[in-house]
Amino acid sequence: MLNWIYKFFSFNKRKLEESVDDISHRLVKFVLDSAFEVFKDDEFRRYFDFNRQKNEEQDRLFNELSLTGLCLLLLTLDDIVSRTYDKIRFWREVRQRTPKMFQSWLKEIGVPRKNISIWSKLIMARCEEYQKDQIEIRREMERHDKEFSAYDNEAAKETYVRFMAIAIGAIHHLRQNKVNPSDPFFSHLRTWLGILNIKLEKEILKN
């Protein structure tokens, strides 16, 4: 009897791990596909005079878009883990597995192990950067945006602050800190991130 119980719980644990991997893989693919669509977009390429750039710079732009999408995904999962009581263990495992799923994808396409390690550290550093930026952005918005400060939906406010932290950080990295406040690309970037954020939440809610 005890042997049967052990096998039953072991089987269910394997099923859970498989489903965690499945959703992690789907979400990583979802944000990378979205980043690639932006990368191919003619309007995006005009903003960066893409065809005149060297291959290294073109690769850097794609990497930055990919990083931006991955950070949005990981910070969204962080929020879900902090707010969700239902299936919290499941979402915690998804959050933990998602960077590893990205590493596996890099390995599959032949990225050298050394570069995979660099990617892993960079993703962690960017997420930490954006988490710190959220604190300052929240403080400034509470001070200077009366509509924001008066809004009583805390979850929505946190989502918006996360979105702005990533958008502001992303344009600085894409432009290599040569940022003009009137840069029309910032509106283009926010449109992409806003749509991606909505679609990403729908992808997550499938579970």
Side-chain angles (χ1 to χ4, degrees):
M1 181 67 175
L2 287 175
N3 189 46
W4 182 86
I5 292 173
Y6 174 78
K7 289 181 179 178
F8 174 79
F9 282 107
S10 296
F11 174 75
N12 279 316
K13 186 173 187 297
R14 285 196 298 272
K15 282 180 65 179
L16 177 62
E17 289 171 351
E18 288 170 359
S19 65
V20 164
D21 281 354
D22 286 345
I23 188 173
S24 297
H25 180 273
R26 178 164 58 83
L27 293 175
V28 167
K29 183 178 185 302
F30 183 81
V31 296
L32 292 179
D33 284 349
S34 180
F36 187 57
E37 287 301 314
V38 175
F39 179 70
K40 294 189 300 180
D41 179 61
D42 289 339
E43 188 174 358
F44 170 80
R45 295 191 170 199
R46 281 196 299 272
Y47 285 126
F48 289 89
D49 200 9
F50 186 85
N51 291 330
R52 294 188 178 184
Q53 303 298 332
K54 295 180 179 179
N55 288 340
E56 292 82 359
E57 176 61 9
Q58 293 178 357
D59 290 345
R60 186 191 70 82
L61 291 171
F62 176 64
N63 290 343
E64 287 294 347
L65 289 171
S66 299
L67 266 172
T68 300
L70 288 165
C71 286
L72 178 64
L73 168 58
L74 292 171
L75 294 180
T76 299
L77 290 172
D78 282 339
D79 280 356
I80 289 174
V81 170
S82 67
R83 295 177 190 169
T84 305
Y85 295 98
D86 183 35
K87 298 173 69 175
I88 187 169
R89 179 183 172 188
F90 174 81
W91 288 114
R92 186 180 290 119
E93 290 191 31
V94 170
R95 173 60 178 85
Q96 292 171 348
R97 286 293 298 160
T98 297
K100 296 176 182 177
M101 194 60 63
F102 176 64
Q103 293 168 26
S104 297
W105 177 78
L106 291 175
K107 185 177 180 180
E108 286 177 13
I109 63 174
V111 175
R113 182 178 297 180
K114 180 180 178 181
N115 290 352
I116 293 175
S117 177
I118 292 172
W119 265 99
S120 301
K121 292 175 182 176
L122 185 55
I123 292 170
M124 186 181 301
R126 285 290 174 84
C127 284
E128 290 176 357
E129 173 189 329
Y130 296 152
Q131 285 171 330
K132 291 177 181 177
D133 289 347
Q134 286 182 71
I135 298 171
E136 183 62 28
I137 290 171
R138 175 67 183 261
R139 184 184 300 120
E140 290 300 308
M141 293 194 72
E142 293 287 3
R143 286 178 181 171
H144 304 294
D145 190 328
K146 292 181 179 179
E147 184 177 352
F148 178 86
S149 61
Y151 197 53
D152 62 357
N153 188 327
E154 184 62 25
K157 290 171 80 168
E158 289 181 0
T159 298
Y160 184 71
V161 168
R162 181 186 70 234
F163 163 79
M164 287 302 297
I166 295 172
I168 292 169
I171 193 171
H172 275 82
H173 289 295
L174 283 158
R175 291 295 194 195
Q176 296 184 300
N177 289 320
K178 299 174 183 177
V179 179
N180 184 334
S182 60
D183 188 346
F185 171 64
F186 190 46
S187 176
H188 185 79
L189 176 64
R190 284 181 295 168
T191 298
W192 169 53
L193 286 173
I195 293 171
L196 177 59
N197 190 63
I198 292 170
K199 290 183 176 180
L200 186 57
E201 289 181 354
K202 289 181 179 178
E203 281 292 309
I204 291 171
L205 287 174
K206 287 181 180 180
N207 296 275

